[in-house]
Amino acid sequence: LGVLSTFGSNISLYSMTALSIFRVFHLNRFGANINKFDKMCLTMILASSILFSAFLAVVPLFDNFQDFFVNGLTYGRDIGLFYGEVDKRTHTEVFEAYYGKLVQHDLSWDEIGRLLDGMF
């Protein structure tokens, strides 16, 4: 749902901006005819807007970028350990207090999820 929402918002924003700029530079004459070059520019603007919007919407789903796009991470109301800004450092500190010294400090979000499941 988040990907579709982001994709739709980006398409709207980029298309509106790019098409307005296109109109200012290529159709500045009242009643001007559109030639092949203008059609090609318009097609490239629309295609690049769609591709860039799709790229921005899908990038947070890749494992390599999961540390940069953690947003809205919440736990149940009965878990009071993770208030405020939750990041890997906060989780690591809580895990070290609960489990003792951790061998690996740079945990992936999957490993953090498994450690949390073991706590609750």
Side-chain angles (χ1 to χ4, degrees):
L1 185 61
V3 170
L4 292 176
S5 174
T6 302
F7 179 71
S9 297
N10 285 341
I11 284 287
S12 174
L13 176 68
Y14 299 139
S15 295
M16 186 172 37
T17 303
L19 292 174
S20 296
I21 292 170
F22 174 81
R23 184 175 181 190
V24 166
F25 287 114
H26 291 283
L27 301 176
N28 56 3
R29 298 175 311 272
F30 182 77
N33 292 331
I34 297 177
N35 57 27
K36 284 186 177 184
F37 178 75
D38 289 340
K39 287 181 183 179
M40 186 180 69
C41 285
L42 188 60
T43 303
M44 294 302 293
I45 288 171
L46 291 175
S48 62
S49 295
I50 290 170
L51 289 174
F52 190 65
S53 297
F55 175 75
L56 286 180
V58 174
V59 160
L61 300 179
F62 295 129
D63 289 338
N64 295 343
F65 301 110
Q66 66 182 353
D67 293 342
F68 301 108
F69 295 100
V70 176
N71 187 8
L73 183 63
T74 59
Y75 302 102
R77 292 178 186 248
D78 56 336
I79 301 174
L81 296 173
F82 302 105
Y83 286 118
E85 183 177 333
V86 181
D87 58 0
K88 285 186 175 183
R89 185 184 53 78
T90 306
H91 281 89
T92 304
E93 290 172 1
V94 171
F95 293 146
E96 285 182 349
Y98 184 80
Y99 290 110
K101 195 72 173 166
L102 295 176
V103 176
Q104 180 183 2
H105 288 283
D106 187 27
L107 301 171
S108 71
W109 286 106
D110 292 331
E111 292 168 333
I112 288 173
R114 283 193 293 275
L115 289 171
L116 279 171
D117 290 341
M119 291 174 63
F120 301 101

